Amino acid sequence: MAVKTVSLPQARRFILRRQGLLGEYRYQGVAGVTAFTRDAGCVQYDPVDVCGRSPELTYLSRVADYQPSMLEEALYKTRQLVDCFDKNLCILSVEDWPCFGRTRAWFSEMDHRSRAEVDAAAPQIRAFLRAHGPAFTDDLPDMGKVDWFWSSTSLSRATLETLYFRGELCVHHRDGARRAFDFTENCLPEAIRTAPDPHPDENGHRDFLLERRIGAAGLLWNKRSDAHLGIPDFSTERRNAAYDRLERQGRVLPVMIEGLKPVFYIRASDEALLDQCAASVFAPRTELIAPLDSFLWDRRQIEALFGFAYRWEIYTPAAKRQYGYYVLPVLQGEALVGRVECLRDRAGDTLRVPRYWPEHGTRLDHRAFRRALKRLAELNGVKHVEVNLQK
């Protein structure tokens, strides 16, 4: 197969356009939330809430006039989306639920910490949910503590989460980061719950996940990458084989970028968009990018393509941080021009912006930047923005 060669600006435009981050907003309202989720495959979830949670920030940068109520409606009212385990904890289209039967089976078979205690407690948890309906962990009786994945936790929480990972329970609704669980049969249609896995063999499942990740990133190189997280047993040998299978089947296309050595891959269905990005001019936008945004899944690739080195320093000790605890990259048109720290102050009804770090040689469009901050303030339910653009 002939390898297509493109310029670096064309590659950047393609990624941003594929991501919905360049040009006029393609996504609108609740329908836009579900459409972007379907286009991306999944939107990564994280409970940390400094200036909005990661999925909220991700949708804010793509969906015109986004409000958190839009995601809540799609997840917990119309059930077009579902909380599920994909790359990590994610939000994905409900029609993709059957594709992760293998993942749920793996959790069911896994000999995790405190499994004996969890299995013994499961009948009591089921009985409580049948009697009382959807429940948060703190609604359940005190069953003591157990050793869990990261630290000790309540046995009731460990049991709820285990039954959720196994697919017996779903997230019925959330209150902030708190999850209320209910039986999956009460949340998802029978046709979805009982549909067979369309990718029943291991290679087919890996290929399905890899093709989704390539689509989510826009362009992806065949290297060890955080974009591949959640693809089971994805050793170098299996990764190479998966890329080869997808290329032979015509599902992905190899692309070379002028000035760079690696081969990149796009989904074959995106070839027309790649060609369109050779000369098209798209209206620039200024957006604040979530740390776990699919645009940033492969940070080494972003550095190679955009010249922007980003590290999420939330787990870095304060004394060793180069920037800050929760810092958002600033996208301006086709360039990453800096990073900003934003802090919600509910008591002061203010979004505080204590620090901004510009990239060398860039100029910030202050008016567009303030518009982006105003949208972020509205997302966080505060009226004022206090900006300090000192480095």
Side-chain angles (χ1 to χ4, degrees):
M1 180 182 296
V3 179
K4 185 185 293 284
T5 299
V6 303
S7 69
L8 184 57
Q10 180 181 354
R12 289 173 177 167
R13 280 193 293 272
F14 166 74
I15 290 173
L16 294 171
R17 189 63 180 163
R18 178 68 182 80
Q19 288 271 353
L21 290 168
L22 183 64
E24 298 298 326
Y25 287 102
R26 302 206 317 268
Y27 304 102
Q28 307 276 335
V30 177
V33 170
T34 58
F36 171 71
T37 306
R38 190 174 294 110
D39 287 347
C42 66
V43 174
Q44 193 167 342
Y45 179 82
D46 188 84
V48 175
D49 187 4
V50 175
C51 56
R53 294 183 181 86
S54 187
E56 295 168 346
L57 298 174
T58 297
Y59 290 114
L60 180 68
S61 62
R62 271 73 168 204
V63 180
D65 302 318
Y66 172 76
Q67 297 294 329
S69 60
M70 297 176 183
L71 178 59
E72 184 175 349
E73 179 176 342
L75 270 171
Y76 306 126
K77 295 179 181 178
T78 63
R79 303 280 178 186
Q80 297 174 73
L81 304 179
V82 64
D83 296 279
C84 198
F85 199 92
D86 183 352
K87 179 177 178 288
N88 284 301
L89 288 176
C90 289
I91 297 164
L92 46 84
S93 297
V94 70
E95 60 261 28
D96 285 340
W97 173 267
C99 301
F100 292 88
R102 180 179 295 275
T103 305
R104 294 187 289 275
W106 179 80
F107 278 117
S108 298
E109 297 162 3
M110 182 174 63
D111 187 18
H112 55 73
R113 296 179 186 176
S114 305
R115 172 160 185 159
E117 293 90 337
V118 165
D119 286 347
Q124 184 177 345
I125 297 297
R126 294 187 186 102
F128 185 94
L129 293 175
R130 291 191 187 100
H132 300 281
F136 296 101
T137 297
D138 51 15
D139 294 330
L140 299 170
D142 183 4
M143 304 172 74
K145 297 279 189 180
V146 292
D147 188 22
W148 198 224
F149 282 100
W150 295 278
S151 62
S152 65
T153 192
S154 67
L155 176 56
S156 55
R157 176 193 171 193
T159 306
L160 281 174
E161 290 190 352
T162 297
L163 296 179
Y164 163 65
F165 287 136
R166 293 175 182 175
E168 186 174 341
L169 302 182
C170 261
V171 178
H172 180 271
H173 65 278
R174 289 182 185 266
D175 179 10
R178 298 168 66 235
R179 295 171 293 175
F181 293 95
D182 194 7
F183 292 105
T184 300
E185 63 194 45
N186 296 333
C187 298
L188 302 184
E190 182 179 5
I192 293 289
R193 290 185 288 106
T194 60
D197 185 345
H199 313 287
D201 67 89
E202 291 184 358
N203 284 340
H205 184 60
R206 292 190 190 101
D207 294 352
F208 157 73
L209 292 175
L210 177 58
E211 188 176 5
R212 279 161 61 92
R213 303 298 172 76
I214 293 171
L219 277 165
L220 193 59
W221 54 18
N222 178 8
K223 292 187 177 185
R224 185 176 180 181
S225 170
D226 280 356
H228 298 140
L229 289 176
I231 302 179
D233 302 320
F234 216 46
S235 64
T236 300
E237 181 180 358
R238 291 192 179 100
R239 188 184 76 230
N240 290 336
Y243 274 95
D244 287 344
R245 282 193 301 271
L246 289 177
E247 184 177 352
R248 287 198 309 271
Q249 294 167 15
R251 293 160 63 181
V252 303
L253 303 176
V255 174
M256 295 295 297
I257 299 174
E258 293 172 353
L260 298 177
K261 292 182 179 180
V263 177
F264 295 80
Y265 294 85
I266 66 167
R267 296 194 314 181
S269 56
D270 289 331
E271 184 178 14
L273 177 60
L274 179 63
D275 293 340
Q276 181 188 359
C277 290
S280 297
V281 177
F282 299 101
R285 300 198 329 243
T286 296
E287 302 289 358
L288 310 178
I289 306 299
L292 298 177
D293 195 298
S294 55
F295 176 60
L296 297 173
W297 279 353
D298 192 317
R299 293 168 190 159
R300 290 185 304 148
Q301 179 173 287
I302 290 298
E303 184 174 3
L305 297 176
F306 289 85
F308 184 87
Y310 179 71
R311 181 183 180 188
W312 195 30
E313 297 182 297
I314 192 169
Y315 299 116
T316 304
K320 295 184 178 180
R321 288 179 193 141
Q322 184 178 2
Y323 298 104
Y325 173 77
Y326 203 86
V327 171
L328 309 179
V330 179
L331 177 68
Q332 184 174 284
E334 299 176 18
L336 291 160
V337 298
R339 59 202 86 207
V340 64
E341 183 176 35
C342 301
L343 307 170
R344 181 185 55 243
D345 176 4
R346 282 204 175 98
D349 200 18
T350 298
L351 179 73
R352 304 197 184 279
V353 186
R355 290 185 291 179
Y356 172 79
W357 298 267
E359 287 290 282
H360 179 71
T362 63
R363 294 183 62 186
L364 182 67
D365 182 334
H366 289 264
R367 185 173 297 179
F369 181 61
R370 287 181 179 274
R371 285 198 298 267
L373 291 174
K374 185 174 185 296
R375 293 180 67 220
L376 182 60
E378 291 170 354
L379 176 79
N380 282 275
V382 297
K383 293 181 180 178
H384 309 292
V385 179
E386 182 180 283
V387 180
N388 176 6
L389 292 187
Q390 298 299 312
K391 187 175 178 180

